[in-house]
Amino acid sequence: MASSSNAVEDRLSKKLESLHTGEETNHLQEKVNEIISSYNEKENRKVNLRFKAIGRTPLLRKNVFAINASHRFDKVIRFLKKELSLQPDSSLLLYVNYCFAPAPDEIIGNLYDNFSIDGYLLIYYCVNVAFG
Amino acid sequence: MKQQRDSIPELVWNGNISVEVHQKENSLTYLANLPRHSYFAQILEDLKQLFAPKAALEECWLSSGKASIKWHWPVGVLYDLLSLKDPESTTALPVLWHLDFHVGSFPSSLVVPMGSMETFRSCFFNALKESDYVRNGSSSLVIALSKPETDSYWNSLLNHDFYDYRPIATKLFASKSRIIPLKFYLGADAPIVQTSASLGYTLGHVLHKQLPEFFPSDVSCSLLKPVLQGIVLPLSISTDLMNRDFCYPDGFLHIVLIPISIQG
């Protein structure tokens, strides 16, 4: 008799424990999601880009622009093609600080924070490959 | 006679993920052990040949549950991010990652198409130049590689050859400036925080400085814990050790932050 009521108690307390753990896990995930939301809001800042042509490449009317930091780099590629009146599928290569071409899915904010110089993310552009 | 134990960099290099790929309404299965230090772009052609030989490469894509797979992110990073497995979990099931192959309705807002190995090679070397830039203020080391060295590095990735890889990687990642590049992944649909840190500090110090809301303490985890190369790192690990032994071939330290486990 005593052992079976202990067994019931055991099962009850394990169930309560797992509910508690489940609650804690949900609470934890909620807190994490809250902080991530606030990060996403912060990324609505604008950052400055400065474009420079390499070689025999069309020049822009204006070469300084502000863009939302949360955008991906492919937005810059598309934007520049439009500004230069190029077809969407034409070749246009963009290099940060004349050194590397970011992947199209890199976030502008990250590129700015890590590679900007004097408040500008410097992007060199050309229609042919500048270097391998 | 017992062989000398593998060095840590070699153990890291040999880490791999077993994957199983299916396509809806297709009875064929693709099975492989993919190195953490490799890319899905490397198997794109094989997948297409198996599941959809007549399809265009640019129309093909992979998914893990609801998440789509980036061709140009290392396999190890994608697994740490998308598998939803806690490396410290007590239910140590064998790793088998289920993926689905698709043709058409290419999710172009999420995945960059890798139509050819040339595109992928260019992507890879640009990522390497980017990490080199962080360490050296320009991509000078990558650019200074001779053609044989560049080819050797590329082939070491394709053939998964540690002995071709390691000498060049050691040279590229040495960081005289004592600055190293890191990418912190906050979740599958969450932001990536890209930053740099100095050698001579602990990971806890870097996390506390860069992500104070997630890491109010530099010695213990209260919300998230860091996973690198499939290992939950102690906050006391030094940036020197991470840079020396745990970089991915593109030169970055890709660290996924997952919720801490609540023990019942």
Side-chain angles (χ1 to χ4, degrees):
Chain A
M1 178 84 161
S3 63
S4 80
S5 71
N6 277 347
V8 169
E9 265 176 38
D10 260 347
R11 283 209 309 274
L12 259 177
S13 84
K14 275 210 175 75
K15 180 107 185 156
L16 280 170
E17 252 182 61
S18 79
L19 275 176
H20 185 52
T21 304
E23 262 174 43
E24 271 182 43
T25 309
N26 285 340
H27 178 69
L28 182 68
Q29 193 58 60
E30 265 170 39
K31 183 105 175 58
V32 169
N33 291 341
E34 242 175 65
I35 303 179
I36 290 181
S37 292
S38 78
Y39 260 105
N40 285 333
E41 270 166 38
K42 261 193 252 161
E43 276 318 72
N44 274 327
R45 60 180 167 137
K46 284 218 187 295
V47 296
N48 293 324
L49 307 180
R50 190 199 290 276
F51 294 104
K52 276 202 168 143
I54 299 176
R56 309 188 62 193
T57 299
L59 293 171
L60 292 164
R61 288 174 294 115
K62 167 175 126 126
N63 58 16
V64 173
F65 297 91
I67 187 173
N68 192 307
S70 63
H71 286 315
R72 295 167 10 144
F73 194 69
D74 62 2
K75 186 141 189 150
V76 176
I77 301 174
R78 286 199 309 269
F79 167 77
L80 201 54
K81 282 184 183 173
K82 235 172 89 185
E83 284 293 306
L84 293 168
S85 305
L86 294 172
Q87 291 302 317
D89 57 354
S90 62
S91 155
L92 183 67
L93 297 145
L94 275 60
Y95 301 95
V96 167
N97 294 337
Y98 207 80
C99 279
F100 63 88
D105 64 348
E106 289 195 55
I107 305 296
I108 305 280
N110 278 329
L111 291 171
Y112 180 86
D113 291 340
N114 287 274
F115 304 107
S116 67
I117 299 172
D118 293 335
Y120 290 93
L121 182 64
L122 199 52
I123 300 175
Y124 288 80
Y125 65 96
C126 60
V127 293
N128 299 305
V129 179
F131 38 86
Chain B
M1 182 167 119
K2 193 173 196 299
Q3 276 192 317
Q4 198 179 352
R5 217 165 61 167
D6 285 346
S7 63
I8 293 195
E10 191 161 7
L11 287 169
V12 168
W13 179 260
N14 289 332
N16 60 50
I17 310 287
S18 302
V19 302
E20 180 185 68
V21 186
H22 286 112
Q23 185 188 27
K24 208 165 153 188
E25 285 161 19
N26 189 329
S27 59
L28 296 169
T29 304
Y30 178 93
L31 288 168
N33 281 328
L34 299 180
R36 284 182 152 270
H37 286 191
S38 74
Y39 294 77
F40 281 101
Q42 292 169 250
I43 63 166
L44 171 52
E45 183 68 54
D46 285 349
L47 289 171
K48 189 198 87 117
Q49 284 306 326
L50 181 71
F51 291 115
K54 298 210 177 82
L57 282 174
E58 294 89 343
E59 286 287 295
C60 303
W61 53 288
L62 284 170
S63 63
S64 164
K66 293 208 187 90
S68 38
I69 297 282
K70 323 260 185 199
W71 295 115
H72 65 296
W73 287 16
V75 170
V77 180
L78 288 164
Y79 181 78
D80 290 342
L81 188 61
L82 301 177
S83 69
L84 304 176
K85 294 236 163 63
D86 182 341
E88 288 181 324
S89 163
T90 47
T91 52
L93 296 164
V95 167
L96 183 62
W97 196 12
H98 297 275
L99 301 171
D100 293 295
F101 179 84
H102 310 267
V103 180
S105 307
F106 192 89
S108 51
S109 61
L110 298 167
V111 183
V112 176
M114 286 289 142
S116 67
M117 280 309 265
E118 269 318 297
T119 309
F120 168 53
R121 180 183 165 131
S122 170
C123 206
F124 173 76
F125 275 100
N126 274 299
L128 188 63
K129 283 180 190 163
E130 185 175 334
S131 69
D132 188 12
Y133 189 101
V134 175
R135 287 190 178 82
N136 300 301
S138 68
S139 308
S140 52
L141 286 185
V142 176
I143 293 174
L145 288 178
S146 65
K147 177 123 188 17
E149 280 176 311
T150 308
D151 288 342
S152 186
Y153 198 70
W154 175 242
N155 288 326
S156 78
L157 186 71
L158 295 185
N159 302 327
H160 198 62
D161 189 312
F162 180 72
Y163 296 103
D164 279 346
Y165 167 76
R166 189 60 185 167
I168 303 175
T170 305
K171 188 162 86 162
L172 290 175
F173 307 156
S175 195
K176 279 207 207 119
S177 70
R178 300 181 58 75
I179 307 284
I180 60 173
L182 306 114
K183 289 195 187 196
F184 292 112
Y185 296 77
L186 294 176
D189 298 317
I192 300 170
V193 177
Q194 182 172 340
T195 185
S196 57
S198 284
L199 296 181
Y201 287 95
T202 63
L203 176 59
H205 171 95
V206 177
L207 286 167
H208 174 61
K209 188 160 161 229
Q210 295 297 336
L211 300 166
E213 300 94 329
F214 286 116
F215 292 91
S217 153
D218 62 349
V219 293
S220 64
C221 298
S222 52
L223 283 171
L224 299 175
K225 56 187 180 180
V227 174
L228 173 60
Q229 305 284 1
I231 303 163
V232 176
L233 297 176
L235 294 189
S236 55
I237 194 172
S238 70
T239 44
D240 307 61
L241 190 60
M242 291 197 308
N243 185 56
R244 196 190 71 197
D245 292 346
F246 293 95
C247 288
Y248 279 84
D250 62 3
F252 281 95
L253 287 164
H254 297 275
I255 299 175
V256 176
L257 301 175
I258 65 173
I260 59 171
S261 29
I262 309 277
Q263 298 300 330

